[in-house]
Amino acid sequence: PTPLAMEESWAFVYWALSCSKPTFPFMREALKRHQQVVVVGWDAAADFAVTRLAKEVCRLLHGSIFIATGEVEPAEGTFADWPPSVRTTYFRLSRHAESDALGPAVRECVRAAGADDSHILAVASRSFYSR
């Protein structure tokens, strides 16, 4: 595939999420290079365990934006107890989205949430969704 096709596909993200895990030194260096951390909670709108995990990831990485994905918008007040420093938002996206549409959809939701051009994207999910 062309470089553009690869950029717009989910394959390169799949490998990072499912096959390799970043080391602590790698993350420490990444946090020095990028001032903003965006956390995506995969299907967090319908899964409290993923929401809880994403909140912990935001705390540990000093996340400033949290995006809950899902097919149904989360109940009002779901994120009421989150720190005010974390901007929370929802993006309608099927948990089983097709890979060709996934890359552009995630990029769109990150931009719509107001993320800087330079950021770290962390994904909190159930492991079986990453497969």
Side-chain angles (χ1 to χ4, degrees):
T2 67
L4 181 58
M6 281 302 295
E7 179 181 319
E8 293 186 353
S9 82
W10 189 244
F12 71 100
V13 177
Y14 168 81
W15 181 261
L17 293 176
S18 301
C19 303
S20 65
K21 304 294 181 202
T23 63
F24 182 73
F26 174 86
M27 284 305 299
R28 188 174 40 226
E29 286 302 311
L31 288 167
K32 288 178 186 175
R33 288 191 317 271
H34 305 283
Q35 295 297 312
Q36 187 177 54
V37 176
V38 178
V39 177
V40 174
W42 198 257
D43 201 33
D47 190 331
F48 181 73
V50 173
T51 300
R52 191 174 55 238
L53 174 62
K55 187 176 183 181
E56 179 69 3
V57 171
C58 281
R59 184 184 69 76
L60 292 171
L61 298 180
H62 305 286
S64 58
I65 297 175
F66 169 63
I67 303 167
T69 70
E71 297 177 13
V72 178
E73 195 165 344
E76 190 170 327
T78 299
F79 309 117
D81 65 338
W82 282 56
S85 60
V86 178
R87 184 176 346 138
T88 60
T89 188
Y90 165 73
F91 189 75
R92 183 178 307 279
L93 189 62
S94 170
R95 72 184 94 165
H96 301 296
E98 293 294 322
S99 61
D100 290 343
L102 200 50
V106 170
R107 194 168 42 251
E108 176 189 333
C109 78
V110 168
R111 285 184 183 149
D116 297 338
D117 288 339
S118 176
H119 60 268
I120 293 173
L121 179 66
V123 178
S125 72
R126 300 249 182 198
S127 61
F128 55 84
Y129 286 142
S130 68
R131 308 251 185 284

